[in-house]
Amino acid sequence: MTPAVNQNNTLPSLSGGLYAFFFDVDGTLAAIQSQPESVSIPASVRQHLQHISNLSHGALALVSGRPIAQLDELVAPLEAPAAGVHGAERRDASGRVHRHSLPGDIAHTLQTELQQTLDQWPDTLLEVKGMAFALHYRNAPQYENAIMQLAEDAVARFPELALQPGKCVVELKPQGIDKGAAVREFMQEAPFIGRIPVFVGDDLTDEKGFLAVNAMQGISVKVGEGASHARFRLNSVEAVWHWLEQLLLQLEHDNVGKEFRL
């Protein structure tokens, strides 16, 4: 990876274009918290997302490591298309849910073994997502190497699994699932098809989303510091919120212009 191309934090104007919007949540639309359940999105930001979705005829999706049920709670009352658990579950614009899952015996064995091990490491957390597992160590960074080794051992034992590192977390998910694949699937369906994709994310888990969008000549935006395949950068979650305000103004202006021409 190389640093994002645009270091001036200046995103191109989206005025006049036909875009599809994809957003990560934690670290992008919401500030990261020590506990996943403590995360929230301000009401004003949720309203902006709702308006942007409306003006884009529904071409707005959430692409996150969280399950879809949690995403719905975070952005309520908006119920947008969503890819949860990095795409292991995906709800398209028609409301149909597509799921990939681990075999039941593997999922049960993993959950039991992972929980038993993490119980021995204070302040670590096992998050069970149904078809994936997240091993959190934000509150216990001294266990980073041990948790990474535990995850690597699990992947070595079960070829059905893939390992996905993140910020103070490592996830075990079904093989072949990632955010880039989720974005590509959305882009083959209405109302996303034929639009220019815009993907905003902050973490290692978003890099495949950036690559997918770059390949489609779209706009990839990295939030925060660090090397990235993204072509543009915003400094913080607060910068994302400000950009959403500006984006909404652009879309509203374009919409008024179209009505005037009609």
Side-chain angles (χ1 to χ4, degrees):
M1 282 187 286
T2 58
V5 172
N6 190 316
Q7 296 300 324
N8 296 319
N9 305 324
T10 303
L11 274 67
S13 170
L14 303 189
S15 182
L18 195 63
Y19 295 95
F21 299 99
F22 301 96
F23 294 98
D24 175 44
V25 174
D26 295 77
T28 299
L29 294 175
I32 292 176
Q33 303 294 337
S34 59
Q35 299 292 331
E37 62 271 19
S38 300
V39 168
S40 64
I41 299 175
S44 60
V45 176
R46 287 182 272 129
Q47 291 170 359
H48 291 153
L49 292 172
Q50 179 73 73
H51 293 325
I52 291 168
S53 177
N54 293 343
L55 290 169
S56 304
H57 301 283
L60 181 150
L62 304 175
V63 183
S64 170
R66 288 179 178 267
I68 290 175
Q70 292 183 14
L71 298 177
D72 287 344
E73 292 177 0
L74 285 169
V75 299
L78 173 63
E79 186 172 316
V85 196
H86 309 287
E89 57 177 7
R90 189 177 69 87
R91 182 177 64 212
D92 61 29
S94 70
R96 181 184 176 190
V97 178
H98 313 259
R99 283 192 173 89
H100 303 264
S101 60
L102 296 171
D105 56 338
I106 292 178
H108 177 74
T109 298
L110 266 177
Q111 181 173 345
T112 300
E113 294 181 357
L114 293 173
Q115 190 64 69
Q116 289 176 347
T117 302
L118 265 62
D119 283 344
Q120 302 173 44
W121 299 337
D123 297 322
T124 62
L125 172 68
L126 176 65
E127 183 182 3
V128 180
K129 300 183 176 182
M131 66 288 294
F133 301 92
L135 288 67
H136 295 271
Y137 54 89
R138 180 170 300 278
N139 297 324
Q142 67 271 25
Y143 294 115
E144 177 181 2
N145 291 337
I147 282 182
M148 185 62 68
Q149 187 61 57
L150 178 64
E152 290 175 351
D153 290 345
V155 170
R157 287 173 58 201
F158 301 108
E160 298 89 346
L161 293 172
L163 186 150
Q164 178 62 68
K167 291 180 178 178
C168 298
V169 63
V170 60
E171 301 201 36
L172 298 169
K173 61 182 182 177
Q175 186 70 250
I177 301 300
D178 60 63
K179 293 185 178 182
V183 169
R184 287 191 293 271
E185 289 172 348
F186 278 125
M187 289 298 296
Q188 295 172 17
E189 306 167 346
F192 302 93
I193 192 169
R195 291 173 174 261
I196 300 169
V198 179
F199 185 91
V200 188
D202 74 302
D203 204 349
L204 289 173
T205 63
D206 299 307
E207 290 298 326
K208 289 188 177 179
F210 297 150
L211 288 171
V213 166
N214 291 347
M216 290 181 267
Q217 304 304 307
I219 297 171
S220 51
V221 185
K222 162 80 171 182
V223 181
E225 299 178 351
S228 176
H229 293 292
R231 292 173 171 164
F232 299 93
R233 190 182 296 270
L234 290 169
N235 286 333
S236 64
V237 171
E238 290 77 10
V240 175
W241 296 346
H242 178 70
W243 177 70
L244 288 176
E245 294 178 4
Q246 301 305 308
L247 172 61
L248 182 55
L249 290 174
Q250 288 182 344
L251 294 176
E252 288 174 339
H253 180 270
D254 288 350
N255 192 57
V256 170
K258 289 176 184 176
E259 292 176 352
F260 180 78
R261 287 192 295 273
L262 291 174

